[in-house]
Amino acid sequence: MTVRSAMKTTLGLKSMMLGLATVAAMGLVAHDAVAKDIKTRIIRFGYGLADSSPTGKATRFFAEEVGRLSDGKMKVKTYGNGALGSDEQMQNALIGGSQEMTFVSTAPLAGMVKEFGVFDLPFLFDNEKVADAVLDGPEGRKLLDTLPPKGLIGLLYWENGFRNITNSRHEINKASDLNGIKLRVMQNQVALSVFNGLGANAIPMPFTELFTALETKTVDGQENPLSTIQTSKFYEVQPYLTISNHVYTPFVLLASKRWWDGLSTDEQAVIEEAAKRSQAFQRKVSREGDVAALAYLKEHGVKVSEFSTAEKEAIREQLEPIVSKLKQEIGPETVDAVLGAAQEASKS
Ligand code: TK8
């Protein structure tokens, strides 16, 4: 064998070895990637608001924190715009274990735990500071602790916010202007009773059906925080807005208990820490979003009116008999405890 051909043979052997090593390495990488993918825990997080809503942004913030805190081992996939269903449907999906996380308004939770209906009582909280103090305090925690037996983990509260009325019929400057208005309300008895008590024709409906119902005039109006009125585009079919701030609705950040119980303590700690870090961010963008939304709605031709302080006082009096009846249905101890905590927080 000449030197030249020997060299050729050696080179051939080397490139074959190199090829084999590359294939093996690729196999390892592929195996590792597959293994990593199997090891990566995927968390399906659905919600009803628009992706562009402040709370949509907060959900992505939460997802980033989970990825960071778990070194990529836990991945939150977010699905906004009601893609995974209404609040009620997602609550049931978590209970069944076919979805891992969501945030829902407390109103749909009242269908499972009647005490959550306390948050649909009008003028419960004077401002966000009072709301934060009550929700993050013992009374808020007591309500979250009612959820595990129902198959849900209530991690903590986010903010939906102070609700305002929109409609397509005429200006609403006082409660009596609600007479004959077909008003969509969230699906619980308290919201229904309050608006029927004010003279509206209250129609309970899932949030996912609301825009179409407004567009087709199946309902004349609805009530939601300003950033929702903007980002869910209700203003496109609702020329009249009344700043009423009649109810403060919390969101509850929920996890499926069936899923949660299968997590390691480290994984649970990641979710809890990410939830804590996202709460301050969510409340901040929620409040900034409401201020920006009011300017946006005015710029887009929405006619804005407002309930005066005297009108709000008159509404409180008008609703007094209904509220005292609802208090018995919700649970008088809970109502008194939450009211007491709100009065305490208002003093500081
Ligand atoms: C969004 C709902 C919404 C609520 C409603 O999923 O139903 O009107 O205010 O924010 O939870």
Side-chain angles (χ1 to χ4, degrees), residues 150-344:
K150 305 288 184 186
L152 296 169
I153 300 292
L155 289 159
L156 45 70
Y157 295 93
W158 279 356
E159 171 166 284
N160 190 344
F162 282 102
R163 307 179 77 86
N164 298 291
I165 301 164
T166 64
N167 87 94
S168 58
R169 295 269 297 277
H170 51 64
E171 276 189 45
I172 293 176
N173 294 301
K174 52 191 183 312
S176 55
D177 294 338
L178 280 164
N179 285 344
I181 293 278
K182 289 180 291 180
L183 193 85
R184 177 271 177 177
V185 296
M186 291 189 285
Q187 294 167 280
N188 82 25
Q189 190 53 49
V190 179
L192 193 66
S193 302
V194 164
F195 276 100
N196 279 333
L198 289 175
N201 172 6
I203 299 168
M205 180 186 296
F207 183 78
T208 42
E209 296 170 16
L210 180 49
F211 183 87
T212 305
L214 293 168
E215 192 178 36
T216 57
K217 304 258 189 298
T218 307
V219 293
D220 302 314
Q222 65 84 45
E223 37 88 56
N224 251 293
L226 295 172
S227 61
T228 298
I229 295 166
Q230 176 195 353
T231 57
S232 290
K233 304 202 179 303
F234 297 154
Y235 70 92
E236 289 179 352
V237 290
Q238 297 278 275
Y240 302 103
L241 165 65
T242 305
I243 306 294
S244 51
N245 291 327
H246 53 277
V247 157
Y248 175 94
T249 303
F251 280 134
V252 177
L253 186 59
L254 288 175
S256 158
K257 184 174 187 305
R258 186 176 288 194
W259 169 71
W260 181 261
D261 291 348
L263 296 183
S264 67
T265 42
D266 287 352
E267 288 172 318
Q268 290 180 351
V270 163
I271 298 294
E272 284 168 336
E273 178 58 26
K276 268 195 214 104
R277 292 183 186 186
S278 62
Q279 187 185 52
F281 175 83
Q282 193 275 341
R283 284 169 170 169
K284 178 174 174 294
V285 293
S286 172
R287 286 152 201 179
E288 288 168 355
D290 264 7
V291 171
L294 184 56
Y296 181 95
L297 297 174
K298 286 177 178 171
E299 275 158 34
H300 285 73
V302 175
K303 184 122 188 56
V304 182
S305 44
E306 190 159 0
F307 280 170
S308 65
T309 309
E311 180 57 24
K312 287 182 183 178
E313 219 19 70
I315 288 171
R316 272 182 202 271
E317 278 164 38
Q318 184 180 343
L319 288 175
E320 186 48 46
I322 291 170
V323 168
S324 52
K325 185 168 170 294
L326 287 169
K327 176 175 165 179
Q328 299 312 314
E329 290 165 19
I330 295 166
E333 306 75 38
T334 299
V335 174
D336 287 342
V338 169
L339 276 172
Q343 277 146 15
E344 205 48 45

